Amino acid sequence: MKQTTTAAIGTLFFYAALLSHSPAAAFSFNSVRNQQRNSVNLHQASVESVETSSDLVESNSTPSSNSRWATNALLFSSWTDGIVTNPSATSFLRYSIVNKLLQDHVADKEVGLETSVKFSPCNGPDVEKLNNLEAADILSDRGKQFAFDAFDASVRNEVDSWAKETLQYCSTETGEVTLKLLYIPTAMYALNPQSLNTPGKQRQRARADGKKRRTQVLNLLETLLSVDSSENLSLQTITLDLDDDSLKQPEGPDNSQFPKDGNEALSSWNPTVIYVEGGNTFWLQHCIDKGQYSQLIIDACTGESGAVYCGKSAGAIVAGDDVSTATWKGWDDPSVVPNRETYDDWIGTTGFQFSESVSYFPHMSDDWIELVNDKVKGKEANSTCCLREEEVCCITGERKQTFVVSGATPEC
């Protein structure tokens, strides 16, 4: 009983300290909640173009009528050069994950508040739950103020400080925060018709490589969220192959509950991060279409508390407006897909459209400038964001904003 009382007092002290830093503490619960939901961010009124030297190419074609935006997403060519060694990219990834955890926490507490009112209408809502949600509003409002269009060291420091405080808030009651990674390596599972290895050996090698890459992703996510040794981070991860809807290699604490199929993995399991690996874009898109995953992934990654979408290479292309940018270099082999064996079969194929009419062309270099200009003149995409190895396109749906952050140029 003493431990419970001490924990409750500590929780109230934390909320009081947080509320004392904001004038919003003087408002009633309803005014604070409504203020949050009705506020309009200054960045929200206009869609910013992606700036990456000369690598955003606009065509004169009619823009897509789609207005869908991912909640938060990172699209890139290389995990190592684009994310790991890019401080701005890792900072935005940290922000996106922590914001997702905060929104999930708020949703859970709102349900508890509604329950307290329902079963005790005379006493009104639970005061501690009200204070809890007011603290969440303040943290959420602070997160909306970051100037991502000028993502310098000062902004990164602000994000890190906010993330630490928000993780402390989210873990106050349970003592831990839970991060769920859904890893989708389907693109790299495509068979190579020219390989001397048997299909079985190719699949075995691809699964082993995928497991290594997933571990690298998980290690970075753990580092990004381990901002304070007082927090206990619970990591859960599972691999989904869109080809056969199989779920493999679950990892997590003994009490982890993992999904039974792809539908559940993308919906009720509520992943924090959905990572779509690079490889053969055509095979990936084929499996998305075959398994009717497109709307599931869109639903999982959009809205106020959507999962953070991370798309590498092929995963970046399918996140765009037009998947046919995968035909430009001639790197991916379309013959792996039955009845769509030529590049012409893929012209006009629609992706997730996570940033309105922008399409993505990863692995950009000076060698491809003339090709890209020719393709855009021929209207094979509306707006094309060309991503070099060290560049990451960051998407924040609440602001309807995209921006590119660059790490160090990799050595040749």
Side-chain angles (χ1 to χ4, degrees), residues 224-371:
L224 293 180
L225 295 192
S226 299
V227 295
D228 190 329
S229 59
S230 65
E231 268 86 55
N232 182 20
L233 179 62
S234 174
L235 295 172
Q236 300 177 22
T237 183
I238 196 165
T239 294
L240 169 63
D241 183 4
L242 304 182
D243 178 28
D244 58 5
D245 198 47
S246 62
L247 290 165
K248 294 182 172 65
Q249 302 167 339
E251 290 185 16
D254 293 338
N255 61 346
S256 301
Q257 294 184 347
F258 290 101
K260 299 179 178 61
D261 55 35
N263 190 318
E264 188 175 317
L266 289 161
S267 55
S268 59
W269 193 57
N270 190 24
T272 314
V273 177
I274 296 176
Y275 188 102
V276 182
E277 186 61 79
N280 190 311
T281 309
F282 306 118
W283 180 251
L284 173 60
Q285 186 63 52
H286 164 68
C287 293
I288 291 172
D289 295 339
K290 179 180 67 171
Q292 299 181 333
Y293 285 107
S294 183
Q295 194 59 51
L296 282 169
I297 294 174
I298 289 170
D299 290 345
C301 297
T302 55
E304 187 175 5
S305 60
V308 181
Y309 182 93
C310 293
K312 172 188 168 185
S313 191
I317 293 176
V318 299
D321 180 50
D322 192 339
V323 176
S324 65
T325 54
T327 69
W328 293 3
K329 294 194 198 81
W331 285 5
D332 293 356
D333 182 4
S335 69
V336 298
V337 178
N339 302 317
R340 299 188 75 178
E341 291 94 349
T342 70
Y343 290 130
D344 288 344
D345 293 327
W346 294 91
I347 302 301
T349 301
T350 302
F352 298 139
Q353 300 177 314
F354 278 155
S355 53
E356 289 192 329
S357 60
V358 179
S359 301
Y360 295 91
F361 182 77
H363 307 292
M364 178 64 178
S365 71
D366 291 346
D367 296 337
W368 303 112
I369 291 176
E370 184 176 351
L371 169 70

Side-chain angles (χ1 to χ4, degrees), residues 38-47 397-401:
N38 295 332
S39 62
V40 179
N41 192 286
L42 294 177
H43 293 276
Q44 203 168 7
S46 62
V47 179
E398 183 179 40
R399 307 183 189 194
K400 294 183 171 58
Q401 180 184 12

Side-chain angles (χ1 to χ4, degrees), residues 52 71 79-80 83 130 194 201 233 266 288 334 341 345 365 371 398 409:
T52 168
T71 307
W79 169 254
T80 301
I83 301 291
L130 282 174
Q194 309 303 321
K201 287 185 177 180
L233 179 62
L266 289 161
I288 291 172
E341 291 94 349
D345 293 327
S365 71
L371 169 70
E398 183 179 40
T409 303

